[in-house]
Amino acid sequence: MCGIVGYTGPRPAAALVLEGLKRLEYRGYDSAGLAVVDGGRIEVHKAAGRIAVLEKELTGMMPAGRTAIAHTRWATHGVPNTTNAHPHTDCGGTLALVHNGIIENAGVLRPALTKRGHVFRSETDTEVLAHLVEELHGKGASLADAVAAALQQVEGTYGIAVISTREPDTVVAARHGSPLLVAVGNGENFIASDASAVLAHTRSVVYLDDGEIAVITPGDYRILDLSSVEKDKTVTQVDWDLATIERGGHPHFMLKEIMEQPESLRNTLRGRLLEDEGDVRLGGLNLSDADLLQINRIVITACGTSWHAALIGEYMMEELARIPTEVEYASEFRYRNPIVDERTLVVGISQSGETADTLAALREAKRRGARTLGLVNVVGSTIAREVDGGIYLHAGPEIGVASTKAFTSQIAALALLTLKMGRLRALSILQGREVVKGLARLPELVERVLAKAPEVERIAERLIRAGNVLYLGRGYNFPVALEGALKLKEISYVHAEGYPAAEMKHGPIALIDDLMPVVFVAPKDAVYQKVVSNVEEVKARGGRVITVVTEGDSGVAKLADQKIEIPETLDLLTPILTVLPLQLLAYYMAVRRGCNVDQPRNLAKSVTVE
Ligand code: AGP
């Protein structure tokens, strides 16, 4: 949730960590701060609000010093004000610490530390860590040893970075549950929550695993375990460049990412489709065909938008591969004594690969003997590293908090997995070829739908005063209705509900009057005729109907007040096209309502707390 950057080297550190922090702002943005070691003291600056506020406060008074840490916060404990902003210091101001995660036993540690004479200044759980490190470091232990000892006493999750006046060219970092990496430069080193913060300086990174401590100095880095035993870690080269994560001329990352979908889908599919065989090549599954044939049940687990993709995967898997499949919210799965065994395949879907609940659900599944796969976008993320195998989405960095291109790539990846499982079972080569062909055509069809953005913008203009919007769909497009509603809620703060269209009669129909816009996702598919009846039911009650229909439709479209057309494709692939107008609708409504599209209130891109 929060973002962390640290630096030590020959250059002025404050400006460097501030620049890195700006690239992490999508992780949290309710307050920010930095600490610099300079001339035997630590200078701390913090501000409530966005990083721009902190930056403004530092204009003309950027602290000197060559070692610094910085933090952008998404509050978990304590209101988002300057006092609770990180870094937090010990009693004497000898050390400063930033933290991403939650210290669950802070309520026990805090009174004990107070009793021992420590004075707390904030309401945060994090501050206990600063005082715990102080206890040993103050008695002469090295910063790394003191951090290791402090961490033995805490329960919960953390990614931390610490600096001290006693070791002015060292940053100590540690990870348990919150992502962190060391970025290796030339005569300088960094730590960061993710690579985007440091890409301007180096592409060589070392991903920390849980229970590891990193000690960086300008000329060296060491990775240790909590007992201070040194570990040998691989240096990975990041292949994203900065241009890829800039907005590329678009006013918002979200719009850029919506418009990138032809390309992101091409990348998800590249090298994986075997047209003649009606099959797919998935190099990363790490499970043999014999292993996959042993699977008699699939559980797909995820959160938010990724959970919506999972629902589409369930429909695909049962229809084409005929394997019983269930979808579970990761946050529920992990706490409900789930029934899985070695013949169960548990598939985690996550854009970030860091969502705490999804990670914990996969760990739980593994502990119980299930095979685990990850459908993940961020290469090298924790989920990607911990699962038995998986399919990288290759959708490229997704910075906008509202997930868009990752969603369509997740559906494409689920179709690939379904084909793999299906072709090993009853799915014929002819059926396989049909799906492969459908997938191969998708990027071009997506382009055609995105070209209708101005039409969608006009529809959005007429909806901006709506206080509620209902989204309805059936079959493969029921999860699209859920996703359309989620997009609208999260970025425009308009209340929206997604429902299976037929369920409307069992309650939500009471909401319908001439003020209630109802968005029907109604492409020509197996349940199309049923949806026509549902549209009639809404029209009969004066509802205002906006539809997403297949080109040339004359049934639903005739009843609708506004329509957006999509080209024809296979039923199972329609969600990749029908969701596009809904992403654009949410985007344009949010922009017209003056909302901060890329950084909606209260949200964070990567939810690394449970
Ligand atoms: C989507 O727009 C959301 N911001 C959110 O629901 C997101 O999909 C969810 O937090 C899961 O994230 P992940 O895919 O990175 O695991």
Side-chain angles (χ1 to χ4, degrees), residues 302-308 349-356 358-359 375 377-378 383 393 398 400-404 406 410 483 486-487 490-491 600 603-607:
C303 304
T305 288
S306 301
W307 184 81
H308 298 154
I349 307 182
S350 175
Q351 187 288 128
S352 60
E354 300 293 352
T355 299
T358 311
L359 176 61
L375 268 51
N377 193 33
V378 178
I383 291 177
L393 304 180
E398 191 181 69
V401 167
S403 186
T404 52
Q410 286 164 350
E483 176 61 7
L486 177 64
K487 287 288 90 89
E490 69 180 335
I491 59 167
L603 284 171
K605 180 68 182 160
S606 174
V607 184

Side-chain angles (χ1 to χ4, degrees), residues 360-372:
L362 286 163
R363 282 180 180 160
E364 184 59 24
K366 219 170 173 181
R367 201 180 64 77
R368 288 168 186 255
R371 309 281 193 150
T372 56

Side-chain angles (χ1 to χ4, degrees), residues 431-504:
Q431 289 169 300
R433 278 185 190 148
E434 208 191 345
V435 180
V436 169
K437 247 193 241 153
L439 281 164
R441 281 190 65 213
L442 273 176
E444 179 217 320
L445 303 186
V446 167
E447 261 162 36
R448 275 167 55 189
V449 180
L450 293 176
K452 294 172 195 253
E455 271 175 53
V456 183
E457 191 172 7
R458 282 194 291 278
I459 295 174
E461 264 161 37
R462 299 168 72 168
L463 287 183
I464 49 169
R465 261 174 279 283
N468 300 284
V469 181
L470 195 57
Y471 286 76
L472 301 173
R474 294 182 81 144
Y476 283 113
N477 284 288
F478 154 53
V480 174
L482 296 179
E483 176 61 7
L486 177 64
K487 287 288 90 89
L488 189 68
K489 278 186 269 210
E490 69 180 335
I491 59 167
S492 70
Y493 318 141
V494 172
H495 173 246
E497 292 289 342
Y499 253 89
E503 272 294 304
M504 175 191 62

Side-chain angles (χ1 to χ4, degrees), residues 17 33-37 42-45 63 67-70 87 89 96-98 163:
V17 291
L34 57 79
V36 186
V37 190
I42 286 184
E43 202 175 318
V44 178
H45 295 270
T67 300
I69 52 174
T89 50
L97 179 147
V98 292
I163 53 173

Side-chain angles (χ1 to χ4, degrees), residues 52-73:
V53 181
L54 175 69
E55 196 176 20
K56 202 163 161 213
E57 282 182 15
L58 289 172
T59 314
M61 47 178 289
M62 198 67 95
R66 315 279 153 169
T67 300
I69 52 174
H71 186 268
T72 180
R73 179 170 187 244

